Amino acid sequence: MSHRFLASTWARALAIVALSCAPLFAVCGLAKAEGPPGPTHLVSTPGKIVPIPASVPHEEGDMVDSRIVPDLVWIAKRYPIYVTDGYSGPLPNGEHVGCNRCHVKGSDHYNGLAVDLVPVGGGTKCDASWAPITRLAHWAEPVQNKPRAPFRWVGYEGDAGHGCGNHLHLSWNHAAAPQFQLAEWVEVFPVGPLAPPETSGEKPRKKRPAPPKPPPGPAGGISTVRTGGLAPRYQD
Ligand SMILES: [Zn+2]
């Protein structure tokens, strides 16, 4: 057996292994990163800024758009989340909710459609308490800058001011809306008994008409351009 023959045999063997592994890895990847339960859909019924329910641990006084509350409850049942900020802005009665001027211009926090999360009882050190939050981040954004629907932007590792030991930001897809106003529609994942978590959203999604595309925008916001030089306290 010549040396050349051996080399080509090896090359062929390696190529076969590589080819047969590629789909295998793809399958494994899908199995690991389970998607949201069932096909997502757009909610066009008017929302309201409401207090986050007790079933979702949160900083006192935190509020969000009512239309993402079921998704938040679903997440809180599966991950030990603690919401440090939701809606940020004024209420109709003039009262201010959420942190003041701590988010970037155009942030989804100003529409009540974003939350900042840390682990319940977790500190500012990236330790084991953050592992479930890291899993949640990967579930919502399996590939950097390609969040799963219904998430519009996920801020974690690789995003300045976010990550393990800092916080995880989740935004829901929504119609463009001015600051401090509710969006016309919000994309959510179903949480009812008809769509158990085991149900993959991939097949039914085919039948769903494509949702209107939100306009392009900066991370954490959709109507304005993010400018540089943000103070360290600023978050998405
Ligand atoms: Zn945020």
Side-chain angles (χ1 to χ4, degrees):
M1 196 181 281
S2 77
H3 187 257
R4 177 179 282 208
F5 177 75
L6 252 181
S8 69
T9 307
W10 265 109
R12 213 165 58 207
L14 280 173
I16 289 165
V17 168
L19 278 172
S20 55
C21 282
L24 201 73
F25 283 134
V27 167
C28 289
L30 280 175
K32 259 188 182 176
E34 183 196 338
T40 60
H41 62 276
L42 307 187
V43 182
S44 301
T45 49
K48 198 181 164 195
I49 297 296
V50 295
I52 295 175
S55 55
V56 181
H58 60 276
E59 225 165 74
E60 206 188 322
D62 277 356
M63 302 176 91
V64 288
D65 185 310
S66 52
R67 294 170 293 185
I68 64 166
V69 167
D71 283 7
L72 264 183
V73 171
W74 188 93
I75 291 169
K77 272 186 194 157
R78 288 155 180 83
Y79 300 91
I81 58 166
Y82 180 86
V83 179
T84 58
D85 209 37
Y87 173 64
S88 176
L91 290 177
N93 65 8
E95 213 177 287
H96 182 90
V97 176
C99 64
N100 214 347
R101 299 174 191 277
C102 66
H103 300 291
V104 293
K105 216 176 165 189
S107 167
D108 297 325
H109 284 284
Y110 300 136
N111 306 108
L113 294 170
V115 286
D116 288 338
L117 308 171
V118 299
V120 172
T124 53
K125 200 177 151 222
C126 179
D127 56 20
S129 71
W130 281 82
I133 301 301
T134 301
R135 277 205 306 277
L136 172 59
H138 290 161
W139 173 78
E141 187 187 45
V143 178
Q144 177 72 357
N145 295 330
K146 287 185 180 162
R148 283 179 196 284
F151 301 108
R152 199 191 75 74
W153 194 70
V154 175
Y156 205 59
E157 295 298 335
D159 302 303
H162 298 77
C164 183
N166 195 317
H167 76 281
L168 164 65
H169 168 110
L170 293 181
S171 288
W172 275 251
N173 279 322
H174 62 89
Q179 188 168 270
F180 310 140
Q181 287 190 30
L182 293 164
E184 199 184 310
W185 57 260
V186 181
E187 186 174 8
V188 300
F189 59 80
V191 296
L194 290 174
E198 301 79 48
T199 311
S200 163
E202 296 309 316
K203 278 177 194 167
R205 191 172 289 178
K206 272 184 195 164
K207 290 179 192 162
R208 189 187 66 145
K213 245 192 169 177
I222 57 172
S223 56
T224 48
V225 175
R226 181 207 284 257
T227 52
L230 295 167
R233 261 213 82 219
Y234 276 63
Q235 308 170 340
D236 294 306

